[in-house]
Amino acid sequence: MSTPRFSIVIPCYNEEGNLPVLLERIRAAMYPLELTYEIVITDDCSTDGSWKLLQELADKEPRLRVQRFAFNCGESAAVWAGIKAARGEYVITMDADLQNDPAEIPRFVQALAHYDCVSGSRVGTRKYGDNLLRVLTSRVGNWVRNRLSGDQVSDSGCTFRAFRRECAANIMPFNGMHRFMPTLIKMEGFRVGEIEVVNQPRHAGRSHYGFFNRLVFLQDLFAVRWMKKRKLRYQIADRVEAQSIDRAAPPG
Ligand code: UDP
Ligand code: MG
């Protein structure tokens, strides 16, 4: 069997201060693994120099593929467009701001031997990379999410994940989806596991979210709960196939 290919999928909105370091660290993490991989970055119509820089970086880095949205579509759309463009059998998603440390990629690759999807969990180290308000809203958010969705995902909002590309083939993309991927992938019947990751502080720039624009997650939560309850479940017990589908003989 040929070695599986990996696609590292990254959404990017105004991250010019992070991109060169991010690529360098990904290269350093991937080199010892001797894996075939590409990096797919979707620029969510940045207003800083990210797009120009990405084009320059793609000129020098043959594994880098970049695409740019016509208008700012949001993180979920940028991740989804990257997953759709991915050519690897496996996808690794991570943020562009180095809050996810590329040095942890090998641990995801190892864990994929046991799961179809491996989700990062920042529970133990959330406080290193985010302020107290963020830590608390994330705790409460995860608790409410697990209660309402009947799921057990310790940090569903952690976007550092690795999965077989087919895990995402049939999920319904929606704005806010990036906070529910482990649940959505479980709903498709795949095995989802977790590994602890370290939540780093942002390398450069500022978070794109505040307290209020995160609250929309409650609305999404009810939608996911509904989807989970109403998802079609069936099992064919028996079947007799047609004997022929050739053109029928004229009647009579
Ligand atoms: N992002 C994006 N479009 C947006 C907002 C964010 O593509 O409208 C990207 C951003 O560049 C980063 C990731 O999504 O790679 C996570 O964003 P951020 O770090 O601001 O979120 P936080 O870590 O604060 O939750
Ligand atoms: Mg961040």
Side-chain angles (χ1 to χ4, degrees):
M1 200 186 82
S2 60
T3 41
R5 291 170 303 167
F6 280 75
S7 297
I8 302 175
V9 167
I10 302 166
C12 163
Y13 183 55
N14 293 346
E15 304 282 9
E16 65 180 345
N18 295 315
L19 294 168
V21 189
L22 175 71
L23 290 183
E24 223 168 85
R25 295 210 189 147
I26 290 175
R27 269 194 294 261
M30 294 304 285
Y31 180 72
L33 297 182
E34 296 180 6
L35 289 172
T36 311
Y37 74 97
E38 61 176 6
I39 305 166
V40 183
I41 303 188
T42 303
D43 177 29
D44 191 6
C45 202
S46 295
T47 52
D48 69 354
S50 292
W51 178 238
K52 189 167 172 287
L53 181 58
L54 282 172
Q55 289 171 285
E56 287 164 13
L57 291 166
D59 234 18
K60 288 181 250 153
E61 168 56 73
R63 294 175 200 278
L64 178 60
R65 299 167 60 205
V66 295
Q67 55 186 354
R68 175 165 163 87
F69 280 158
F71 54 94
N72 180 240
C73 303
E75 181 179 342
S76 287
V79 176
W80 184 250
I83 294 171
K84 288 279 123 183
R87 292 182 296 208
E89 288 82 34
Y90 289 93
V91 172
I92 295 173
T93 60
M94 65 191 304
D95 291 349
D97 57 1
L98 289 154
Q99 285 208 265
N100 307 137
D101 185 352
E104 296 192 293
I105 290 176
R107 293 179 47 236
F108 280 92
V109 174
Q110 278 163 15
L112 280 172
H114 310 287
Y115 299 103
D116 302 309
C117 168
V118 182
S119 190
S121 169
R122 306 159 295 179
V123 171
T125 60
R126 196 73 218 251
K127 60 178 184 292
Y128 300 148
D130 287 306
N131 63 31
L132 188 62
L133 182 66
R134 293 283 301 277
V135 177
L136 288 176
T137 47
S138 159
R139 282 236 171 113
V140 174
N142 278 307
W143 184 80
V144 175
R145 179 169 27 216
N146 284 338
R147 283 301 289 254
L148 286 184
S149 69
D151 218 344
Q152 273 313 316
V153 180
S154 60
D155 186 11
S156 177
C158 176
T159 45
F160 203 0
R161 306 178 177 120
F163 49 88
R164 284 155 46 150
R165 198 182 56 198
E166 70 229 50
C167 288
N170 293 319
I171 62 182
M172 194 198 87
F174 61 90
N175 206 351
M177 166 202 79
H178 65 274
R179 300 195 180 97
F180 295 91
M181 291 282 283
T183 301
L184 299 171
I185 289 174
K186 267 190 203 174
M187 276 163 60
E188 296 299 315
F190 292 103
R191 294 164 306 161
V192 179
E194 290 187 352
I195 59 169
E196 276 280 335
V197 294
V198 177
N199 185 40
Q200 307 284 348
R202 231 179 194 279
H203 178 74
R206 299 179 54 176
S207 169
H208 302 89
Y209 301 100
F211 179 71
F212 289 104
N213 57 17
R214 266 177 224 280
L215 273 186
V216 74
F217 124 89
L218 273 177
Q219 190 187 337
D220 298 337
L221 178 55
F222 282 101
V224 171
R225 178 182 150 99
W226 176 85
M227 272 193 250
K228 219 177 148 187
K229 273 202 177 138
R230 301 289 294 159
K231 189 170 166 54
L232 283 183
R233 278 184 196 87
Y234 61 83
Q235 200 177 0
I236 305 225
D238 207 354
R239 178 183 276 142
V240 178
E241 290 295 352
Q243 290 176 32
S244 163
I245 53 164
D246 294 345
R247 192 166 174 208

